[in-house]
Amino acid sequence: MRILTNRKAFFYAVTLCLTTSYINAQDANISVSQDPKFEQLLNEKRKTNVSNAVNDRYKIQIFSGESEKAKKTLIEFKQEFSDIDGTIVFNTPNYKVWIGNFKTRIEAERNLIEIRKKYNNVHLIKPNK
């Protein structure tokens, strides 16, 4: 094994310092252009995720059955109760229409009374997945 003298060690250290002082990272600006529809789709997805979120909130089931009838029921419901959000959930073999996202059971039951006047077979549920 060869031992470096102080003079050679100093020379290597200075050379190393001088060469590394000139090393730079690349500087660049990146611009991303995206279709405006992409942001619209993201907003729709966020809205869907909020309505389908698994949480401790209550929902009202107004329909359980075939796909086409579930879609028709949801459209009719949204026309009559535009302030309450609704979604279709598939649980084999039925499509279920769940509406609302109520924080308390009392709030859900108040809405249930109004909805029961229009729809016969309604249930108060608390989804757990």
Side-chain angles (χ1 to χ4, degrees), residues 103-118:
K103 291 181 182 178
T104 63
R105 185 176 179 100
I106 293 172
E107 181 184 1
E109 287 178 352
R110 286 182 187 147
N111 285 288
L112 181 67
I113 292 169
E114 290 298 317
I115 293 168
R116 190 168 275 155
K117 292 176 184 175
K118 173 72 176 158

Side-chain angles (χ1 to χ4, degrees), residues 9-23:
F10 177 74
F11 174 74
Y12 288 133
V14 169
T15 305
L16 180 66
C17 290
L18 289 175
T19 56
T20 58
S21 66
Y22 292 110
I23 297 175

